[in-house]
């Protein structure tokens, strides 16, 4: 039997192949193992990169979606026009698209979203570490000075003293704000469409309500603060609640009054009024713009409530340690040096660190924690109480994004109403009027809270703030302007902490000798030269 010849190349390949397989088998296995290990490492690396990219994109995407949703809702609610019972969807003119005011949509607070990113949460952890260092330093100093650990928190208890007077004063203001504006609206609305003199009825009702408002929400809180000599924190509670109740009651009347005037009831029917429960909800929910209904969450996250409450108390102790460790040792009378330009400049720059930390604490404790706490308890879904003000490259944007709750009220009832009265001719005057009103209210709160008049904030906010608002406007987009904005905040907070601290001790050790007007408005630190 003959075997057919095969080509040499084929024979060579068939013979060598098994040998090559035997020789390279272990090496090939090693290469396969290494390839599998590299593939697994690469997959893990790709997964980590994916997570990081998603975290970084999440915030920006959420902002874009919120903006798109808001614009969609505004476009839908503000451009539809009803004529003879038929709804048309023609686009309204640009000047009319904001006539319905603020639109509430369900959205979380910005910091809640940012805290889901590990890099941002690390900054939060750093602030907690600084708080722990403040506590340890206080314990160490007390142990060295007195030979034992002292946990008295005397300054904290002093600041929140006489809470009984605060509670009953708040109860009076709350009951008045709940009942009087609501009943006034119901009585006025019941008579408006049947009264022959609608203008006379409206003017008379408005004058009476304004007089009662001035007495109960205007003079009564001032009387309580002065008569009972409340300490600083208790004073601020009463005064800030006074301002809040005034703004809330005004928004309620301002939003519901025009609706009642426009909607004439049919014969035999009564006018439709907002329910008392919706007004009661409005008095506690974290917004200053009244609506009969708001977007609501389905349930309360009690774990979130507990964590937020703990953060509020943490911020309170944080502020206490800042004052005790960084402010009191510098400005108390025992360490006061003769006044000179050098000592003043050093005092201002020393106050920059505690000043900016107090600013960040006030923002985090109130605009984030406090408002989110009430929002969660009331299932209030629109949590946009602030925006990314820290990225601002202009003071105009900073003022709009620092406190969205108050900005919405000022824009709605200050800026827009001014433009409506002036037929949109004096936009600059409208902006200036809003600045002046805001600066006056801020200065009033500080004057009543500290117990003395020293218009530092008024000049910084009402004068320099206006200049910066026009000088650093929205056209400034370079990161350099963000640096300038932060530098201005640092210096402004240092000036405020320094001057208010000096005036506080001057008021204690150099009290007024008479009650004349100039004696009351002249800062005592200008003439007080106490020594110990």
């Amino acid at each position: 039997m003959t075997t057919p010849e095969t080509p040499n190349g084929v024979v060579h390949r068939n013979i060598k192949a098994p040998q090559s397989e035997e020789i390279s088998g272990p090496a090939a296995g090693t290469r396969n193992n290494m390839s599998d290990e590299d593939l697994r490492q690469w997959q893990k690396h790709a997964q980590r990169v994916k997570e990081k990219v998603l975290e970084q994109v999440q915030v920006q995407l959420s902002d874009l979606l919120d903006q798109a949703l808001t614009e969609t809702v505004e476009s839908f609610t503000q451009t539809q026009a009803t004529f003879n019972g038929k709804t048309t969807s023609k686009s309204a003119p640009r000047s009319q698209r904001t006539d319905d005011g603020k639109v509430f949509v369900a959205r979380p607070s910005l910091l809640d979203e940012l805290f889901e990113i590990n890099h941002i949460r690390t900054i939060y952890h750093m602030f907690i570490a600084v708080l722990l260092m403040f506590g340890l330093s206080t314990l160490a100093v007390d142990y060295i000075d007195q030979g034992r650990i002292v946990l008295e928190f005397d300054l904290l208890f002093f600041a929140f003293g006489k809470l009984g007077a605060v509670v009953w004063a708040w109860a009076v203001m709350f009951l008045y704000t709940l009942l009087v504006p609501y009943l006034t609206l119901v009585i006025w609305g019941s008579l408006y469409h049947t009264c022959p003199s609608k203008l006379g009825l409206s003017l008379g009702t408005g004058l009476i309500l304004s007089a009662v408002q001035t007495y109960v929400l205007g003079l009564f809180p001032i009387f309580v603060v002065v008569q009972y000599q409340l300490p600083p924190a208790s004073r601020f509670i009463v005064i800030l609640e006074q301002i809040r109740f005034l703004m809330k009651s005004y928004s309620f009347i301002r939003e519901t009054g025009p609706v009642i005037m426009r909607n004439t009831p049919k014969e035999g029917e009564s006018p439709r009024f907002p329910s008392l429960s919706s007004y009661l909800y409005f008095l506690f929910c974290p917004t200053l713009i009244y609506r009969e209904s708001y977007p609501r969450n389905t349930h309360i996250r009690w774990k979130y409530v507990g964590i937020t409450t703990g953060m509020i108390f943490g911020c309170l102790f944080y502020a206490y340690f800042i004052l005790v460790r960084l402010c009191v040792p510098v400005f108390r009378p025992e360490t006061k040096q003769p006044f000179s330009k050098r000592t003043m400049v050093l005092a201002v720059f020393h106050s920059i660190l505690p000043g900016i930390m107090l600013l960040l604490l006030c923002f985090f404790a109130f605009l984030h924690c406090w408002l989110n706490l009430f929002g969660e308890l009331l299932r209030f879904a629109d949590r946009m109480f602030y925006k990314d003000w820290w990225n601002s490259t202009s003071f105009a944007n900073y003022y709009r994004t620092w406190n969205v709750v108050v900005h919405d009220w000022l824009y709605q009832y200050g800026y827009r109403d001014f433009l409506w009265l002036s037929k949109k001719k004096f936009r600059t005057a409208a902006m200036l009027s809003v600045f002046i009103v805001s600066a006056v209210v801020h200065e009033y709160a500080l004057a009543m809270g500290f117990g003395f008049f020293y218009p530092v904030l008024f000049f910084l906010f009402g004068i320099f703030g206006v200049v910066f608002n026009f000088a650093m406007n929205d056209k400034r987009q370079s990161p350099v302007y963000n640096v300038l904005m932060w530098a201005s905040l640092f210096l402004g907070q240092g000036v405020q902490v320094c001057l208010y601290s000096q005036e506080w001790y001057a008021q204690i050790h150099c009290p007024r000798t008479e009650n004349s007007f100039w004696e009351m408005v002249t800062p005592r630190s200008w003439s007080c030269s106490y020594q110990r």
Side-chain angles (χ1 to χ4, degrees), residues 439 443 455-465:
E443 190 57 46
V456 177
L457 182 61
F458 179 82
F459 280 98
L460 291 177
F461 185 54
I463 297 179
F464 292 103

Side-chain angles (χ1 to χ4, degrees), residues 41-52 54:
Q41 292 294 332
W42 172 254
Q43 289 176 340
K44 292 180 180 179
H45 176 70
Q47 184 65 25
R48 288 195 297 267
V49 172
K50 176 184 174 183
E51 292 175 356
K52 291 181 180 179
L54 288 177

Side-chain angles (χ1 to χ4, degrees), residues 154-171 173 220-243 316 444-451 504:
D154 50 346
L155 181 61
L156 199 60
F157 287 111
F158 160 74
F160 287 91
K162 300 182 180 180
L163 285 179
V166 175
V167 171
W168 75 262
W170 182 89
M173 291 190 293
F220 172 72
I222 298 176
F223 169 79
V224 172
V225 165
V226 175
Q227 181 67 24
Y228 288 89
Q229 293 295 306
L230 298 180
S234 299
R235 284 172 173 256
F236 276 112
I237 293 174
V238 174
I239 297 302
L240 293 179
E241 285 297 282
Q242 170 200 27
I243 297 172
L316 190 63
Y444 163 76
L446 287 180
M448 296 304 302
F450 289 136
W504 173 267

Side-chain angles (χ1 to χ4, degrees), residues 65-79 103:
L65 291 176
D66 286 345
Q67 182 180 357
L69 180 59
T70 302
E71 292 176 353
T72 302
V73 174
E74 288 178 351
S75 175
F76 177 79
T77 59
Q78 296 171 6
T79 61
V103 177

